[in-house]
Amino acid sequence: MADARATAQPGLRNMVRAAAIGVTLFLAACASGPRIVPEAERPTPAERPIPVAPRPIQPGLPQDVQRHRIALLVPLSGPNAGVGRSLQNATQLAVLDTKSDALRITTYDTAAPGGAAAAAAQAISDGNRLILGPLLAEEAREVAPIARRARVPVLSFSNDAGVAGNGTYILGYVPAQSIERVVNYAKRSGITEFAGLIPSGLYGERASTAFLRSVEEAGGKVNALETYDGRPGSLATAIAKIGRSPFQAILVAGSADGAVGAAPLIRRQASGKAARLLGTELWNTDSAIGGKTALSGAWFASVPDNYYRQYATKYRARFGAAPYRLSTLGYDAVLLTVRIAREWRPGSEFPAARLTEREGFAGLDGAFRLGRDGVAERALEVQEIRGGTTATVSPAPPNFNGN
């Protein structure tokens, strides 16, 4: 069962109140007889009612004793409200699909005054024993110490491995894993010479490190690596520098739209004419990626889409809009919780040790498991963009058996 902290449904706020009201009726009877003035009777002393202590009214949400209290921390206002609403809808859909009546999920707006820290503090005060979210890495950093003091685990939707650990787990698609997967596939396909086109910023820094390490471990060689930013001419300058070196494949570590802008410039370079374009997990967040003809023949690694299309159809039917691709993180977080909840007593601490089981979990995004470092390891596939769609050229393993 899900509710929203800021705008809770009326049915979820009702508190059962019982009060007993006793009423005593006094009857007076008059008897006829001689005119005798009776002695005045002393009134019967009134009995003092026994004081009853008023039942305390608890602030916040009603106290469930039969269900697990779980907080969902997502933005319901501000620039990321669309993603937050989609994650919230996904958790509701997961509860319905699993037919689980053991969970009570309450949503807290991380974009409200006080931000994610205030949302986490309120969630813990309300008695929640597990936090799903928040969405962004900086929010996860704010929430982590608050949740850790209360011994409440955090399953963040961020992809920043730097915030994982000490009770905070990262469910997002970590770029290092997708880069390693596509590089290994390229190497097995006969590619040995690589180049990298990396956006500036924290994501780019981590992508660059992962790329260099992956190529080295695969036995290949990075002949050129350049970064670019949003300044006019920065992308063209970076690609021109890369073109001075030979390469068989080039990793374009930015978004799909960024890769579309880079592709024609790459093809003008001598080595770029026949080079294979490689992408990261960011490409799969673009639902129209298959129709981007400039990226025809490109490879990218991401979570498998086998179940996503069915999920998206069901989501549209219920909520009247298409889901954000990242919303499956919310759905899978609920699946994980439902599985662990079978051995979790309501009101007790969440059994965090169960999160790092070696066999992992299955979800819409395929198999995944949480390492002791708090980062989700995912079974990824490699897709190729061709003919207006994407085709799987290297399927994801169905589980982690044997690993």
Side-chain angles (χ1 to χ4, degrees), residues 328-397:
T328 52
L329 295 177
Y331 191 102
D332 286 356
V334 172
L335 294 187
L336 178 157
T337 305
V338 168
R339 174 173 163 180
I340 294 179
R342 298 168 188 166
E343 300 174 14
W344 176 24
R345 182 171 55 84
S348 64
E349 289 186 4
F350 182 83
R354 295 284 311 280
L355 291 171
T356 53
E357 293 177 346
R358 292 304 297 163
E359 65 268 25
F361 304 90
L364 291 178
D365 288 333
F368 68 99
R369 62 183 176 187
L370 290 160
R372 297 197 178 277
D373 60 356
V375 177
E377 176 189 357
R378 295 187 172 274
L380 304 179
E381 70 179 14
V382 178
Q383 299 180 39
E384 179 178 322
I385 299 171
R386 64 165 81 141
T389 186
T390 58
T392 300
V393 292
S394 180

Side-chain angles (χ1 to χ4, degrees), residues 57-265:
I57 299 176
Q58 298 291 340
L61 298 171
Q63 298 300 307
D64 281 339
V65 295
Q66 299 298 325
R67 287 183 290 180
H68 301 292
R69 299 292 301 277
I70 299 165
L72 175 65
L73 270 60
V74 291
L76 299 179
S77 54
N80 292 316
V83 182
R85 290 289 182 189
S86 195
L87 283 163
Q88 182 185 37
N89 292 341
T91 61
Q92 293 178 6
L93 194 57
V95 170
L96 293 172
D97 286 349
T98 58
K99 297 180 172 61
S100 176
D101 59 358
L103 309 182
R104 182 191 185 113
I105 302 177
T106 306
T107 306
Y108 298 80
D109 185 4
T110 55
Q122 185 62 58
I124 292 170
S125 176
D126 287 342
N128 292 282
R129 298 288 186 166
L130 175 67
I131 291 176
L132 307 182
L135 175 63
L136 304 177
E138 54 267 30
E139 294 174 337
R141 289 188 177 90
E142 295 176 9
V143 168
I146 299 170
R148 186 162 54 248
R149 286 193 295 270
R151 301 176 64 86
V152 173
V154 175
L155 298 180
S156 173
F157 304 129
S158 168
N159 67 351
D160 187 348
V163 303
N166 295 318
T168 297
Y169 301 84
I170 300 300
L171 294 179
Y173 317 130
V174 179
Q177 295 178 24
S178 67
I179 291 172
E180 179 182 14
R181 179 75 165 91
V182 76
V183 164
N184 286 338
Y185 179 74
K187 181 62 170 57
R188 291 197 303 270
S189 300
I191 293 173
T192 58
E193 294 185 310
F194 295 81
L197 181 62
I198 314 293
S200 59
L202 182 60
Y203 180 90
E205 291 174 8
R206 292 185 172 162
S208 177
T209 300
F211 180 54
L212 292 170
R213 183 179 63 249
S214 297
V215 172
E216 180 181 4
E217 292 177 352
K221 183 179 179 182
V222 177
N223 290 334
L225 181 67
E226 295 291 337
T227 61
Y228 66 95
D229 54 33
R231 293 175 298 177
S234 178
L235 180 64
T237 299
I239 293 174
K241 291 180 180 178
I242 290 173
R244 300 169 188 166
S245 303
F247 57 91
Q248 298 167 288
I250 178 170
L251 175 73
V252 184
S255 66
D257 285 339
V260 168
L265 301 177

Side-chain angles (χ1 to χ4, degrees), residues 299-323:
W299 294 333
F300 67 96
S302 186
V303 293
D305 285 332
N306 301 4
Y307 301 110
Y308 176 75
R309 295 179 181 89
Q310 300 174 30
Y311 158 77
T313 299
K314 182 181 292 187
Y315 184 104
R316 287 190 193 94
R318 182 165 188 84
F319 300 108

